[in-house]
Amino acid sequence: MKALVGAIAFVSLGLASTAVAAPRRLEDTPCKGCVLALPDVTDAGAETPLLVLLHGDGGHAPSALVSAWERSTRAGGIALLALRCPRDLGCTEGSFWKWDGSPAWLDDQVRAVRASHAIDATRVWLAGWSGGASYLGRRLEDLSNTFAAVVFHGGGIPPHAGACASHPLPTYFLVGDKNPLHGLAVSLRDEAKRCGHDVTWDLVPGADHAREWTSLAPRAPSIVAWLQEHPRPSPASSAPAQAAPAPAPAPEKPNANAPRPRAGCTASPSSPSPLSLIPLALLLRRRRPLAPRQE
């Protein structure tokens, strides 16, 4: 009996240290048509990582993206935020890459979630499927440091910005070489490498666009593990080390015998001193014949 009571007490203490809730999805949160899925078990007081998902041009709604990822993310206590391309901001065709709006809108949605939920600001990641991946590729150099890493799934378009971002991001590509637009993903990969982004290239040989989608299920656990290995570095650890300033050289003592330069004139160290030219001038004058006086 005492053993049974002790076991019950042990279990009670264990439950007190974690917050257990039924799996839940919040529709139209934080934006119209968006879905926020919170993990069912989190450590009490701990902040939750967040994976932001962007849909393709059709066929996979935000809720479908949540279903594709949540089995792998729930074990790690990761929240999912599947965004719908904002119609009120001009995304009338439901295509992120055709809309090509400012990535600041993504930051706004993350801030809205953080205002009501304990989100770990150092572990906020992005993943785009198909057209969503193409949008993230076009805007790769415009993404803020809100995000710690980016996943391109079944798509990608090279950035249209000429300059590279000042904060390169780890990037993961899950693509198939039978996708008719595979060359665009290759170009994005090469541009990402040129700009210093850390690139992980996961190619599915012989996969067309449909197989790119189904390839996520077996690979999602390893992609999630990869994301967890890439938090956003803190400003202190990401700043380059500053070398100690060299001591200032001791001032040279002025030479009292050195001639004073005229104002506005400078002489190089190899230039002869004007005083050193006086003997030569006298010698030349002595050897020069006198010119006849002009009447």
Side-chain angles (χ1 to χ4, degrees):
M1 184 65 180
K2 290 182 178 180
L4 178 60
V5 172
I8 294 175
F10 177 80
V11 172
S12 299
L13 289 174
L15 291 178
S17 63
T18 58
V20 181
R24 55 190 178 125
R25 296 186 185 186
L26 304 178
E27 304 286 340
D28 293 329
T29 304
C31 47
K32 184 67 175 176
C34 302
V35 178
L36 175 63
L38 299 172
D40 50 353
V41 178
T42 59
D43 293 335
E47 293 184 323
T48 304
L50 177 66
L51 175 58
V52 181
L53 306 172
L54 303 188
H55 62 76
D57 288 5
H60 296 94
S63 57
L65 287 177
V66 170
S67 298
W69 284 92
E70 65 180 349
R71 179 175 297 181
S72 300
T73 57
R74 189 178 297 165
I78 300 173
L80 295 171
L81 174 59
L83 301 177
R84 190 186 72 176
C85 194
R87 296 177 181 174
D88 56 335
L89 295 180
C91 186
T92 56
E93 298 184 49
S95 169
F96 271 104
W97 72 271
K98 291 180 182 179
W99 170 59
D100 198 27
S102 171
W105 181 80
L106 307 178
D107 299 335
D108 293 341
Q109 310 318 307
V110 172
R111 279 193 293 268
V113 172
R114 292 189 62 198
S116 55
H117 299 85
I119 299 298
D120 186 349
T122 66
R123 294 188 292 169
V124 179
W125 307 293
L126 267 173
W129 156 248
S130 188
S134 297
Y135 167 77
L136 293 179
R138 294 187 70 175
R139 290 293 190 166
L140 178 60
E141 306 304 341
D142 301 326
L143 297 176
S144 72
N145 58 4
T146 295
F147 304 101
V150 185
V151 176
F152 299 98
H153 178 203
I157 296 178
H160 49 55
C164 299
S166 59
H167 52 280
L169 294 173
T171 59
Y172 190 106
F173 288 81
L174 176 56
V175 293
D177 55 7
K178 295 303 180 183
N179 183 328
L181 302 178
H182 178 65
L184 293 175
V186 172
S187 297
L188 171 59
R189 177 201 64 187
D190 295 344
E191 182 67 12
K193 287 183 177 180
R194 186 189 71 82
C195 283
H197 301 275
D198 181 17
V199 174
T200 298
W201 184 253
D202 189 355
L203 179 66
V204 186
D208 58 10
H209 200 41
R211 278 192 58 198
E212 285 177 327
W213 171 257
T214 58
S215 67
L216 176 63
R219 284 172 164 80
S222 60
I223 297 176
V224 170
W226 178 86
L227 289 172
Q228 291 175 320
E229 293 172 357
H230 291 86
R232 190 183 74 193
S234 62
S237 62
S238 61
Q242 297 291 332
E252 297 182 358
K253 295 182 179 180
N255 184 0
N257 298 323
R260 296 183 179 181
R262 296 181 179 179
C265 299
T266 57
S268 65
S270 60
S271 301
S273 168
L275 295 179
S276 65
L277 300 179
I278 294 177
L280 179 61
L282 294 176
L283 179 62
L284 293 176
R285 184 176 180 182
R286 185 178 304 167
R287 293 181 177 179
R288 183 185 306 166
L290 296 176
R293 180 179 299 178
Q294 298 291 333
E295 296 295 338

